[in-house]
Amino acid sequence: MKANYARVLIDRSIRRELDYAIPESFAEKIGIGSRVRVPFRDKAALATVVAVLEESGASGIRPIEALVGDKPALSAKLLELARWMAAYYCCSIETVMRSLLPQVIRKAEVGWKKQLFVRRGRAASAEEIEKLRKRAPRQAELLEAVAQLHEPKLAADLLRETSLDNQTLRALEKRGFVELREEAVERDPHADEQFVPTTNLVLNSEQATALAAIEKALEAPAKAKPFLLHGVTGSGKTEIYLQAIRWALNNGKTAIVLVPEISLTPQTVERFKARFAEAQDMVAVLHSHLSEGERHDEWHKIQSGRARIVVGARSAIFAPLENLGLIVVDEEHETSYKQEEAPRYHARDVAVVRGKLEGCVVLLGTATPSLESYFNATRGKYQLLNLTQRVDDNQMPLIRVVDLRQEKRKAKSLTIIGDKLHTAIIARLEKREQTILFLNRRGFSTSLLCSACGEARECPNCSVALTFHRTASRLSCHLCGHTAAVPKKCPACHEDALIYSGFGTEKVEAHVMHLFPKAEVRRMDADSMTRKDAYRETLRAFRAGKIDILVGTQMIAKGLHFPNVTLVGIINADLALHLPDFRAGERTFQLLTQVAGRAGRGETPGEVFVQTFTPFSPSIQFARHHDFTGYFEQELEFRERCDFPPFRHAVLLTVRSAHEGRAKFSAETIARRLREALPAEFILGEPTPAPLEKLQGQFRFHILMRGEAIVRLSRLVRETLDKLPMPEDVIASVDVDPYQLL
Ligand code: ADP
Ligand code: ZN
């Protein structure tokens, strides 16, 4: 077939594929997945080739203007994945493409970092040198240094070593004595780090059994089901990933490892870089803190085939690796795998689909499986692998539940650190062991109330109270970022009766410093970690034993491994439990188990204190007894009774507008149309104000749908919305398999 025409997807949501003629000059290079620049209306637009055709029935075909990059940016399989995502997640394929290709690759603006290299030019005669010495001694000096060069040298280095300037160098270039050339160099975010190479550890018998099953699947991946590796914290899951990847590499395959953004710590990256240290470029790292330039370079490292392992956050699932042998999703239960803007995909579920398309093995690992995944394992869709023991047979930490109702009665006021936790901290300080205190809420006081009129300071844009931050000395909204000065008197009734109530990590830190003045206390949350390397630095200090007590939010709950931490205090376990969300119990169970997993990872067994007002809630009791299956069974019963996932898929439609009445009216109209469009097998909820009624100045209404045939439901919803144009100031968005129900 002769490649005459290319069918392309323009980078704009026009929901149509267009045909363009392929100029002779790059007919050889163009293929499915190539990026091109095409004329579109009266401008140029970037686009992706989705098919190459011999003939086209379209009229008025124009030629492609340019080819971007030598090699297709996407494989045919990734394009197929994009089509699946558009159908499943009820969005346009152009929207999917935005996530599939990093912006820096799509826009093709940031290129390689260019640096100036110096090499020797023509030889200078003795006469010329003599003349230079007299008239331009600095040029002569530089020329002498250049004469010593055997290979091109970075101009910047040469000038620094000789203490000479750029002008001198340019003068030499003019005379032809040096050649200057710009060359691309790669930005390596880990260039200044040294990795001590590690080798495979000898596995214990549970690990060996699990790895054997994975290797068998790697040998015959076409028939393999995804694995769910359920291993308690510290059971050696990562070691299994490392060895499975080694197997894949040895067999000419590549691998992707997804890690939640928050646990993509230097510690994690280091473990992968060190194990695969045989080539500098072997491991590429993708996460949201890379500069555009770094992202560009990492991406090309992957696309060119030099990097054969990609470790990254959510969007790394789209890494353009060829010959994919294994996809690992660590902490598969993490909700951060779900993208909260369109395309609203879940990276774990996309991983399973990509695995199927590529014919590779998918390995989901976690200490606290999501209900969905464990359900899939019990139904035989996934293959379950268990690690029940910690490596070195360390004991699981002892979890003690502290009833805050009693503490409150005793103390006659709100308790931050109860008596029992207090005593336990003192014991740790005496033994020079470390403590982690966890609270899932930032700030100092969670609200500022007027005791005269009862009014709380609310965000003008959102229906939540403003949080008081003492360091910044401002009130701030955690949803939209709005900040306000702290009023002296109540702005509503003008009484001097303002009181602070509730507390966040900032207050816990202050309180702990007050209780234990000799202890070194540090806080780790989004407020205290604004500087780029603050996170790394704090972790390093903590590991070196320079911090006694670390106070923090979920930032410290995940994946960290500190042998000297023998005590974990959960200041208030109820924060997640009372959210109007069917996953509230699941999240609490996971959080408690994960946070508890931070304790006693060394020789000394750990101790965990869980402070709560609801000591008998099932998620707390099951977590306390490390009883995942018990928890799973009772939670599953509840989900089945209510027709919630994993029994039915959910689709959440949100209608929002700055105008409350219009949002409500549109939601009601959509609901009416959906009632006509959806067959009885689907459950359609009434339009209701969202639990978070107002967000960023927009009033929000929800319509919740549920059903088993999710792709069909997605299509029906899309069709209904397409036929119903929204007023300009109303936006309807669709979330398939939603995690954010507020
Ligand atoms: P998980 O990922 O399940 O939390 P890790 O893989 O991080 O567990 O293992 C915890 C610690 O135990 C790590 O320091 C790791 O190097 C070590 N480890 C893992 N497997 C073994 C083994 N078979 N023998 C000795 N040490 C091991
Ligand atoms: Zn707000």
Side-chain angles (χ1 to χ4, degrees):
M1 183 193 92
K2 191 155 181 306
N4 293 322
Y5 301 98
R7 185 156 291 166
V8 310
L9 262 179
I10 307 245
D11 285 3
R12 262 181 255 169
S13 277
I14 57 164
R15 302 240 210 113
R16 217 148 49 88
E17 294 172 6
L18 302 171
D19 290 357
Y20 287 88
I22 302 176
E24 208 48 62
S25 57
F26 46 77
E28 295 281 295
K29 284 192 191 162
I30 212 163
I32 291 179
S34 291
R35 296 282 294 165
V36 292
R37 197 178 68 225
V38 295
F40 178 65
R41 301 197 178 130
D42 53 354
K43 283 205 204 100
L46 291 168
T48 309
V49 175
V50 294
V52 176
L53 317 161
E54 196 167 357
E55 289 174 49
S56 164
S59 59
I61 289 187
R62 294 196 274 173
I64 293 174
E65 286 176 4
L67 182 64
V68 182
D70 282 345
K71 226 179 130 188
L74 290 177
S75 63
K77 287 193 179 124
L78 278 171
L79 272 172
E80 205 178 331
L81 185 67
R83 290 197 195 282
W84 173 84
M85 284 174 69
Y88 188 96
Y89 291 109
C90 197
C91 61
S92 74
I93 185 153
E94 291 93 337
T95 307
V96 175
M97 295 301 252
R98 276 212 298 271
S99 284
L100 221 65
L101 282 174
Q103 166 146 342
V104 46
I105 302 301
R106 257 185 302 125
K107 298 248 191 291
E109 273 162 6
V110 180
W112 299 100
K113 182 175 170 188
K114 295 270 174 63
Q115 291 199 326
L116 203 59
F117 283 84
V118 185
R119 63 179 83 213
R120 283 190 307 213
R122 72 178 175 86
S125 66
E127 208 176 310
E128 281 174 317
I129 293 179
E130 201 45 41
K131 218 158 109 189
L132 266 188
R133 284 220 176 101
K134 276 194 201 127
R135 296 206 196 140
R138 276 185 305 189
Q139 285 181 42
E141 194 186 326
L142 188 57
L143 184 58
E144 228 167 88
V146 170
Q148 314 289 326
L149 296 181
H150 296 291
E151 51 191 39
K153 188 179 175 92
L154 258 179
D157 289 348
L158 180 72
L159 295 178
R160 186 160 25 81
E161 286 163 20
T162 55
S163 312
L164 291 164
D165 59 13
N166 202 28
Q167 211 179 339
T168 316
L169 185 63
R170 291 286 173 186
L172 282 185
E173 186 196 18
K174 244 194 206 141
R175 294 180 200 271
F177 297 143
V178 303
E179 267 178 40
L180 297 180
R181 196 182 303 169
E182 286 211 315
E183 280 172 34
V185 289
E186 262 176 31
R187 287 150 285 222
D188 182 349
H190 298 277
D192 55 347
E193 290 163 35
Q194 293 288 319
F195 299 102
V196 183
T198 62
T199 49
N200 285 356
L201 299 174
V202 178
L203 299 182
N204 64 32
S205 71
E206 278 188 333
Q207 284 176 311
T209 308
L211 185 66
I214 297 164
E215 288 185 350
K216 206 166 133 216
L218 284 165
E219 272 170 33
K223 282 176 286 173
K225 291 175 193 167
F227 289 101
L228 178 61
L229 175 61
H230 178 201
V232 297
T233 42
S235 58
K237 294 184 290 296
T238 311
E239 183 61 30
I240 293 179
Y241 307 156
L242 292 167
Q243 299 202 15
I245 295 169
R246 175 58 77 197
W247 197 100
L249 280 195
N250 288 347
N251 288 274
K253 301 281 184 68
T254 60
I256 295 176
V257 183
L258 295 188
V259 180
E261 180 82 46
I262 200 163
S263 40
L264 196 50
T265 56
Q267 228 179 333
T268 312
V269 171
E270 198 175 303
R271 281 182 84 176
F272 286 88
K273 289 241 176 193
R275 184 63 61 89
F276 304 102
E278 62 264 27
Q280 169 87 32
D281 285 348
M282 188 61 91
V283 181
V285 181
L286 295 174
H287 57 77
S288 66
H289 296 300
L290 295 179
S291 68
E292 288 286 87
E294 285 169 345
R295 193 185 314 281
H296 168 272
D297 293 1
E298 292 294 291
W299 194 86
H300 278 282
K301 216 193 270 180
I302 299 163
Q303 203 217 7
S304 67
R306 278 176 297 138
R308 300 182 54 208
I309 301 164
V310 176
V311 180
R314 184 170 65 220
S315 66
I317 190 56
F318 306 120
L321 283 169
E322 277 170 27
N323 229 338
L324 202 52
L326 176 68
I327 304 175
V328 174
V329 183
D330 189 29
E331 314 273 6
E332 66 83 25
H333 65 278
E334 268 289 309
T335 48
S336 65
Y337 282 127
K338 170 83 174 174
Q339 175 153 297
E340 291 299 348
E341 58 186 63
R344 298 168 186 271
Y345 69 93
H346 194 297
R348 173 200 59 219
D349 299 337
V350 173
V352 169
V353 175
R354 183 165 185 198
K356 206 187 279 169
L357 291 173
E358 305 260 6
C360 79
V361 174
V362 178
L363 173 58
L364 314 175
T366 174
T368 51
S370 62
L371 262 265
E372 286 83 352
S373 293
Y374 204 79
F375 183 71
N376 280 333
T378 58
R379 297 285 163 110
K381 262 178 90 176
Y382 295 170
Q383 189 181 333
L384 188 62
L385 302 171
N386 283 306
L387 301 179
T388 57
Q389 301 293 318
R390 282 184 158 196
V391 173
D392 296 341
D393 285 332
N394 278 340
Q395 295 293 305
M396 292 301 280
L398 189 63
I399 301 186
R400 303 179 190 277
V401 176
V402 177
D403 188 344
L404 281 177
R405 295 171 303 185
Q406 285 180 15
E407 294 280 335
K408 194 175 168 188
R409 238 170 275 138
K410 264 190 307 194
K412 300 213 167 46
S413 70
L414 194 67
T415 319
I416 297 180
I417 308 282
D419 281 350
K420 290 178 186 137
L421 181 53
H422 189 242
T423 313
I425 295 176
I426 291 179
R428 293 315 180 292
L429 291 173
E430 280 167 1
K431 284 188 279 184
R432 303 227 30 100
E433 292 170 2
Q434 291 170 299
T435 299
I436 286 180
L437 297 177
F438 175 86
L439 180 68
N440 212 1
R441 196 160 57 189
R442 298 184 284 124
F444 195 81
S445 302
T446 44
S447 62
L448 183 56
L449 291 167
C450 173
S451 58
C453 72
E455 188 108 332
R457 305 284 8 111
E458 276 214 358
C459 175
N461 312 315
C462 312
S463 39
V464 294
L466 294 171
T467 302
F468 171 61
H469 289 253
R470 196 171 71 169
T471 315
S473 184
R474 298 208 40 105
L475 298 172
S476 104
C477 171
H478 289 179
L479 295 175
C480 73
H482 171 87
T483 72
V486 184
K488 291 226 162 53
K489 290 180 178 169
C490 174
C493 70
H494 307 288
E495 286 287 326
D496 188 4
L498 290 176
I499 48 169
Y500 293 94
S501 80
F503 57 87
T505 42
E506 203 182 3
K507 184 156 181 178
V508 174
E509 180 194 26
H511 186 61
V512 169
M513 283 174 161
H514 168 76
L515 289 178
F516 313 104
K518 293 212 182 88
E520 191 58 44
V521 181
R522 210 64 97 70
R523 171 165 56 97
M524 196 148 135
D525 58 25
D527 299 316
S528 68
M529 294 291 122
T530 46
R531 260 192 326 114
K532 202 181 166 198
D533 34 324
Y535 183 68
R536 209 183 269 217
E537 194 188 292
T538 304
L539 289 184
R540 201 176 290 149
F542 192 53
R543 185 189 309 225
K546 290 183 187 143
I547 299 171
D548 301 310
I549 303 173
L550 186 64
V551 178
T553 54
Q554 64 258 46
M555 218 178 238
I556 60 173
K558 310 288 161 63
L560 303 176
H561 176 64
F562 298 105
N564 200 33
V565 173
T566 57
L567 174 65
V568 169
I570 296 166
I571 304 291
N572 184 341
D574 305 332
L575 287 185
L577 264 181
H578 305 304
L579 294 176
D581 180 335
F582 69 88
R583 286 194 183 87
E586 179 178 8
R587 287 196 184 142
T588 302
F589 178 86
Q590 288 169 348
L591 197 66
L592 293 188
T593 308
Q594 295 284 341
V595 177
R598 301 307 118 221
R601 293 193 110 199
E603 308 278 291
T604 332
E607 208 177 8
V608 179
F609 285 82
V610 179
Q611 303 193 130
T612 170
F613 284 102
T614 53
F616 297 108
S617 85
S619 29
I620 290 176
Q621 284 301 326
F622 283 116
R624 175 187 177 192
H625 293 109
H626 307 286
D627 182 3
F628 175 79
T629 36
Y631 166 73
F632 172 77
E633 276 159 21
Q634 77 90 34
E635 180 72 24
L636 203 65
E637 213 180 279
F638 154 71
R639 301 284 183 91
E640 183 161 30
R641 230 180 314 125
C642 308
D643 282 314
F644 276 129
F647 292 94
R648 299 259 193 289
H649 284 279
V651 174
L652 181 66
L653 200 147
T654 304
V655 181
R656 60 193 157 89
S657 168
H659 192 287
E660 186 171 6
R662 276 206 272 278
K664 183 163 189 273
F665 179 78
S666 295
E668 281 163 358
T669 314
I670 294 174
R672 212 161 39 241
R673 294 293 174 86
L674 284 170
R675 213 166 293 133
E676 293 159 16
L678 299 186
E681 62 172 292
F682 298 112
I683 306 169
L684 172 65
E686 290 297 319
T688 49
L692 191 62
E693 274 186 71
K694 195 175 166 206
L695 177 66
Q696 304 185 330
Q698 304 258 315
F699 292 89
R700 309 158 74 244
F701 286 80
H702 276 170
I703 301 172
L704 187 66
M705 290 159 273
R706 280 166 288 161
E708 279 179 70
I710 183 65
V711 176
R712 179 142 175 264
L713 179 54
S714 255
R715 200 191 66 232
L716 291 169
V717 171
R718 176 89 273 148
E719 286 169 3
T720 307
L721 288 178
D722 282 351
K723 279 186 279 189
L724 192 74
M726 287 289 118
E728 210 166 272
D729 52 358
V730 178
I731 293 171
S733 56
V734 182
D735 191 351
V736 176
D737 298 339
Y739 278 76
Q740 200 47 271
L741 297 170
L742 301 182

